[in-house]
Amino acid sequence: MTAALRFAVPAPLRRRAAGLPPVEVVVALTLLSLILLGLVSALRSLGETGSRLEGRSLRSDDVRLVPAFLRQAIGSASPRLHVRPTDMATMPWFEGAATEMVWVGNMPARQGVGGLHHLRLAVIGTGGTPQLMLQYLPFISDDLFPDWTQAPGQLLVAGVDRFELSYQRLGTGEWSPEWADPLVLPGRVRLMLSAGGQAWPEMVFAVVEAMPGMDPNAPSGTMPMQPGQRAQSGQGGSGGAAAGAGRGR
């Protein structure tokens, strides 16, 4: 009876009940592996594309926000003067070099520390990565000098490849890598920057308080000085009064 039933079942049904041959199983598993590998590769590519787009978006935001922040901070540079303790010479707080700029100006209020501050713009190597930082300390008086080793900082750009400052006198077209005029603020400050292997657009910031040939020690109403001319201070009582008026600004 059993043999009769076995022969009564069609041959295709008997093979199906017995399972797939090993070759078909191997082919099916291979195809499934290829499909899964393609899906994983596609998901990985999608993730990398998303990361690159996010990085570009962040860099685009930096290129837009950092110049606006610096324009406000640099544009508010003050012509205040102080007495240098080493030789008692009257000097401005503004000091400009190719790799660093120090000045007294208004810290943008949106950082939560608005008001007159000592400011320093420079590249600082933190953890082996060059970072463009704006350090700041509250301005208290012309007799207190900032200690930049204790100053907090605002990170502007990370991974800086190039950082170069230059300065231009108001009314001229020449740029200088240093600003050494003790009587006049530069009319404009130019910043050349590249980070992460990409060059930023050239940034030029106007200094609001810059005046061509202005002598900050001179009393109100004095005619502007010519380039290269120096104030004759210390002669009689007028020189000391002028210096005091300049320091009081």
Side-chain angles (χ1 to χ4, degrees):
M1 183 65 180
T2 303
L5 289 175
R6 187 187 309 128
F7 287 112
V9 177
L13 293 180
R14 288 201 303 270
R15 288 198 299 269
R16 188 177 304 168
L20 296 174
V23 175
E24 295 182 4
V25 173
V26 171
V27 171
L29 292 177
T30 302
L31 292 176
L32 181 61
S33 300
L34 292 175
I35 293 173
L36 292 177
L37 180 61
L39 289 175
V40 171
S41 300
L43 291 176
R44 181 183 301 173
S45 299
L46 183 61
E48 292 176 352
T49 302
S51 299
R52 287 195 296 269
L53 291 176
E54 183 179 2
R56 291 180 181 177
S57 177
L58 292 176
R59 285 194 295 270
S60 178
D61 290 341
D62 289 342
V63 171
R64 178 175 55 88
L65 296 176
V66 170
F69 177 80
L70 290 178
R71 183 173 295 108
Q72 185 174 354
I74 295 175
S76 67
S78 171
R80 298 182 68 97
L81 304 175
H82 69 279
V83 177
R84 189 166 54 194
T86 56
D87 55 4
M88 302 305 293
T90 302
M91 301 293 295
W93 282 110
F94 189 97
E95 298 178 8
T99 57
E100 179 185 35
M101 189 171 70
V102 178
W103 73 102
V104 169
N106 291 320
M107 186 71 174
R110 61 177 173 268
Q111 300 302 318
V113 287
L116 202 61
H117 278 69
H118 293 280
L119 301 173
R120 176 175 181 257
L121 182 66
V123 172
I124 301 175
T126 303
T129 301
Q131 298 178 336
L132 180 60
M133 302 284 293
L134 181 68
Q135 293 180 282
Y136 53 90
L137 286 170
F139 178 86
I140 299 176
S141 73
D142 290 313
D143 299 325
L144 297 178
F145 290 80
D147 181 8
W148 295 116
T149 61
Q150 305 298 324
Q154 175 70 35
L155 173 62
L156 300 179
V157 183
V160 175
D161 302 319
R162 179 193 179 194
F163 173 70
E164 182 180 333
L165 291 165
S166 55
Y167 311 89
Q168 185 185 78
R169 182 183 296 272
L170 195 64
T172 67
E174 297 181 359
W175 292 95
S176 173
E178 294 184 354
W179 187 258
D181 195 325
L183 302 177
V184 186
L185 288 175
R188 297 196 299 174
V189 177
R190 182 176 63 183
L191 171 58
M192 307 293 290
L193 180 70
S194 64
Q198 295 186 355
W200 284 42
E202 178 182 293
M203 292 171 275
V204 178
F205 311 106
V207 180
V208 177
E209 294 290 339
M211 293 292 289
M214 174 65 71
D215 178 10
N217 289 325
S220 176
T222 303
M223 293 297 293
M225 300 177 63
Q226 298 300 320
Q229 185 179 356
R230 292 292 180 266
Q232 301 295 326
S233 60
Q235 296 179 359
S238 61
R247 287 192 295 271
R249 291 189 178 180

